[in-house]
Coordinates of all heavy atoms in Angstrom, one line a residue:
P111 N 235.7 186.2 21.3 CA 234.7 186.8 20.3 C 233.3 187.0 20.8 O 232.6 187.8 20.4 CB 234.8 185.8 19.2 CG 236.1 185.1 19.3 CD 236.4 185.1 20.7
G112 N 232.9 186.1 21.8 CA 231.6 186.3 22.4 C 231.4 187.7 23.0 O 230.2 188.2 23.0
V113 N 232.4 188.2 23.5 CA 232.3 189.6 24.1 C 232.1 190.6 23.0 O 231.3 191.6 23.2 CB 233.6 189.9 24.9 CG1 233.7 191.4 25.3 CG2 233.7 189.1 26.2
W114 N 232.7 190.4 21.9 CA 232.5 191.3 20.7 C 231.1 191.4 20.3 O 230.5 192.4 20.1 CB 233.4 191.0 19.6 CG 234.9 190.8 19.9 CD1 235.5 191.2 21.0 CD2 235.8 190.1 19.1 NE1 236.8 190.8 21.0 CE2 237.1 190.1 19.8 CE3 235.8 189.5 17.8 CZ2 238.2 189.6 19.3 CZ3 237.0 188.9 17.3 CH2 238.2 189.0 18.0
A115 N 230.5 190.2 20.2 CA 229.1 190.1 19.8 C 228.2 190.8 20.8 O 227.2 191.5 20.5 CB 228.7 188.7 19.6
L116 N 228.5 190.6 22.1 CA 227.7 191.2 23.2 C 227.8 192.7 23.1 O 226.8 193.4 23.2 CB 228.2 190.7 24.5 CG 227.5 191.2 25.8 CD1 226.0 190.8 25.8 CD2 228.1 190.6 27.0
C117 N 229.0 193.2 22.9 CA 229.2 194.6 22.9 C 228.5 195.2 21.7 O 228.0 196.4 21.7 CB 230.7 194.9 22.8 SG 231.6 194.6 24.3
A118 N 228.5 194.5 20.5 CA 227.8 195.0 19.3 C 226.3 195.1 19.6 O 225.7 196.1 19.2 CB 228.1 194.1 18.2
G119 N 225.7 194.2 20.3 CA 224.3 194.2 20.6 C 224.0 195.4 21.5 O 223.0 196.1 21.3
V120 N 224.8 195.6 22.5 CA 224.6 196.7 23.5 C 224.8 198.1 22.8 O 224.0 199.0 23.0 CB 225.5 196.6 24.7 CG1 225.4 197.9 25.6 CG2 225.2 195.4 25.5
L121 N 225.8 198.2 21.9 CA 226.0 199.4 21.1 C 224.9 199.7 20.2 O 224.5 200.9 20.1 CB 227.3 199.3 20.3 CG 227.7 200.5 19.5 CD1 227.9 201.7 20.3 CD2 228.9 200.2 18.6
T122 N 224.3 198.7 19.6 CA 223.1 198.9 18.7 C 222.0 199.5 19.5 O 221.3 200.4 19.1 CB 222.7 197.6 18.1 OG1 223.8 197.1 17.3 CG2 221.5 197.8 17.2
L123 N 221.7 198.9 20.7 CA 220.6 199.4 21.5 C 220.9 200.9 21.9 O 220.0 201.7 22.0 CB 220.5 198.6 22.8 CG 219.6 197.3 22.7 CD1 219.7 196.5 24.0 CD2 218.2 197.7 22.3
G124 N 222.2 201.1 22.3 CA 222.6 202.5 22.7 C 222.4 203.5 21.6 O 221.9 204.6 21.8
L125 N 222.7 203.2 20.4 CA 222.6 204.1 19.3 C 221.1 204.3 18.9 O 220.7 205.3 18.3 CB 223.4 203.6 18.1 CG 224.9 203.6 18.3 CD1 225.6 203.1 17.0 CD2 225.4 205.0 18.6
W126 N 220.3 203.3 19.1 CA 218.8 203.4 18.8 C 218.1 204.1 20.0 O 216.9 204.4 19.8 CB 218.2 202.0 18.5 CG 218.4 201.6 17.1 CD1 219.4 200.9 16.5 CD2 217.5 201.9 16.0 NE1 219.2 200.8 15.2 CE2 218.0 201.4 14.8 CE3 216.3 202.6 15.9 CZ2 217.4 201.5 13.6 CZ3 215.6 202.7 14.7 CH2 216.2 202.2 13.6
H127 N 218.8 204.3 21.1 CA 218.1 204.8 22.3 C 217.4 206.1 22.0 O 216.3 206.4 22.5 CB 219.1 205.0 23.4 CG 218.5 205.6 24.6 ND1 217.5 205.0 25.3 CD2 218.9 206.7 25.3 CE1 217.2 205.8 26.4 NE2 218.0 206.8 26.4
R128 N 218.0 207.0 21.1 CA 217.4 208.3 20.8 C 216.0 208.1 20.2 O 215.1 209.0 20.5 CB 218.3 209.0 19.9 CG 217.9 210.4 19.5 CD 219.0 211.1 18.8 NE 218.6 212.4 18.3 CZ 218.3 212.7 17.0 NH1 218.4 211.7 16.1 NH2 217.9 213.9 16.6
R129 N 215.8 207.1 19.4 CA 214.5 206.9 18.8 C 213.5 206.2 19.7 O 212.3 206.3 19.5 CB 214.7 206.1 17.5 CG 215.5 206.9 16.4 CD 215.6 206.1 15.1 NE 216.4 206.8 14.2 CZ 215.9 207.7 13.3 NH1 214.6 208.0 13.4 NH2 216.7 208.3 12.5
L130 N 214.0 205.3 20.6 CA 213.2 204.5 21.4 C 212.8 205.0 22.7 O 211.8 204.6 23.3 CB 213.9 203.1 21.6 CG 214.2 202.3 20.4 CD1 215.1 201.1 20.8 CD2 213.0 201.8 19.7
K131 N 213.5 206.0 23.2 CA 213.3 206.4 24.6 C 212.0 207.1 24.9 O 211.7 207.3 26.1 CB 214.5 207.2 25.1 CG 214.7 208.5 24.5 CD 216.0 209.2 25.1 CE 216.3 210.5 24.5 NZ 217.5 211.1 25.0
G132 N 211.3 207.5 23.9 CA 210.0 208.2 24.2 C 209.0 207.2 24.6 O 207.9 207.7 25.1
R133 N 209.2 205.9 24.5 CA 208.2 204.9 24.9 C 208.6 204.4 26.3 O 209.4 203.5 26.4 CB 208.1 203.8 23.9 CG 207.8 204.3 22.5 CD 208.0 203.3 21.4 NE 207.8 203.8 20.1 CZ 208.0 203.1 19.0 NH1 208.4 201.9 19.0 NH2 207.8 203.7 17.8

Side-chain angles (χ1 to χ4, degrees):
V113 169
W114 308 344
L116 180 61
C117 289
V120 173
L121 179 61
T122 300
L123 277 175
L125 294 178
W126 274 91
H127 177 59
R128 181 168 175 257
R129 297 182 180 275
L130 296 172
K131 64 182 179 180
R133 303 169 184 177

